[in-house]
Amino acid sequence: MFDTAAVIDLGSNSVRLTVADQDRVVFRQREYVRLSERMGKDNVLKEGPIQRTIDALMEMKNTIRDNHIETVYTVATEAVRRAVNQNAFLERVHYETGLIFSVLSGEQEAYYDYLGVRYAMDVRDCVILDTGGGSTEFVLVKNGEFAGWGHIPFGAVILTEQFRTLEEAEMAVRREIKELSWLEQAQNLDVVGLGGSIRAVGQNSKEYLTCEEVQEFYSRVREMNVEQRAKLKGVSPNRADIFAGGLVPLTVFMKEASARGLRFSDTSLREGILYEHFYNS
């Protein structure tokens, strides 16, 4: 059993490093790289975002080296998952940083979200909803168990870049959510929200919000300009432009599922991988 382990999570909007021992998270590091920027419908990773990502990965590799961490899990999610130049990108990352990334499937990402939440919270019947930069994952939890999952190819960055208005984004997300095979089973449950945009909602309100309160908050955000959104707690200037888009999957799902309310989790995929390492390896 290793004393300390780390996870680097290469997402569509940010790269995150989490280091933990068996008892607690030791530290976290985050760099906004917006890897999915300007991917468009051609799904091509562009040079600027690639270079920003490699620079961030080098910083994290140095952190790992300086702290003498031997066990490191490196995973990539939606932006890399759907990139047509995925192989070339991963080979370049390996060449320039020495890091070898595994690309998670949507189901794997959802399962690790579930483990991460279950590690930290008492969850019996709920839907876990994780909105990243490039996609949103859903997990149906029944009696504390992983009972179903879903994935839509829309996250905060994609919804902001690909749609001219929030109304158009909402319509696209609604069409996808209606296709979830277990949507009827999810009616009237609480949602446990993950992802930067959703966590920022909690920082600007309280620990539990009813469905109506979530919709009211979203309505206020819709009326704000980018400068006003940047002044909200938890919304950094480099996230303010995608903040409203990041709330679309949450608000649409809660309406479609007649959700009771929203809880927030500080743990997700990275903690799920670490939980599996320490307790199921």
Side-chain angles (χ1 to χ4, degrees), residues 47-63:
E47 175 58 29
I50 288 174
Q51 190 58 57
R52 290 197 300 265
T53 299
I54 288 173
D55 292 344
L57 290 173
M58 282 304 302
E59 287 187 29
M60 292 181 177
K61 183 179 179 181
N62 292 336
T63 298

Side-chain angles (χ1 to χ4, degrees), residues 7 9 16-18 199 268-275:
V7 176
D9 171 17
R16 296 170 184 258
L17 168 67
T18 298
R199 291 187 179 112
S268 55
L269 179 150
R270 295 172 301 284
E271 290 80 10
I273 292 172
L274 290 165
Y275 178 88

Side-chain angles (χ1 to χ4, degrees), residues 215-274:
Q215 305 301 329
E216 289 171 4
F217 180 85
Y218 174 61
S219 295
R220 294 199 301 273
V221 170
R222 286 185 57 162
E223 299 302 316
M224 297 177 181
N225 58 36
V226 173
E227 290 75 20
Q228 290 170 324
R229 292 169 186 165
K231 295 178 182 179
L232 293 169
K233 295 178 182 177
V235 182
S236 58
N238 52 11
R239 177 185 285 275
D241 62 324
I242 62 172
F243 179 54
L247 298 182
V248 170
L250 171 69
T251 56
V252 172
F253 179 83
M254 291 188 75
K255 282 185 179 179
E256 293 299 318
S258 300
R260 288 186 307 196
L262 174 65
R263 301 165 65 190
F264 304 94
S265 174
D266 289 329
T267 58
S268 55
L269 179 150
R270 295 172 301 284
E271 290 80 10
I273 292 172
L274 290 165

Side-chain angles (χ1 to χ4, degrees), residues 55-157:
D55 292 344
L57 290 173
M58 282 304 302
E59 287 187 29
M60 292 181 177
K61 183 179 179 181
N62 292 336
T63 298
I64 289 167
R65 181 200 62 208
D66 294 345
N67 287 276
H68 309 290
I69 302 165
E70 296 183 5
T71 304
V72 183
Y73 297 92
T74 48
V75 298
T77 55
E78 181 68 9
V80 180
R81 189 160 54 219
R82 64 187 177 88
V84 297
N85 55 338
Q86 175 190 122
N87 290 338
F89 169 72
L90 292 175
E91 288 172 3
R92 179 173 167 183
V93 167
H94 181 210
Y95 177 77
E96 296 196 27
T97 71
L99 298 170
I100 300 175
F101 276 82
S102 298
V103 181
L104 297 181
S105 68
E107 182 174 11
Q108 287 175 311
E109 186 174 355
Y111 180 70
Y112 283 123
D113 276 340
Y114 160 73
L115 283 185
V117 171
R118 194 184 70 174
Y119 161 76
M121 298 175 64
D122 179 21
V123 288
R124 299 295 300 167
D125 298 288
C126 68
V127 174
I128 298 169
L129 191 156
D130 181 5
T131 298
S135 68
T136 299
E137 277 65 47
F138 305 85
V139 179
L140 176 65
V141 180
K142 288 287 190 176
N143 297 315
E145 299 297 324
F146 185 97
W149 73 283
H151 164 94
I152 64 173
F154 295 126
V157 177

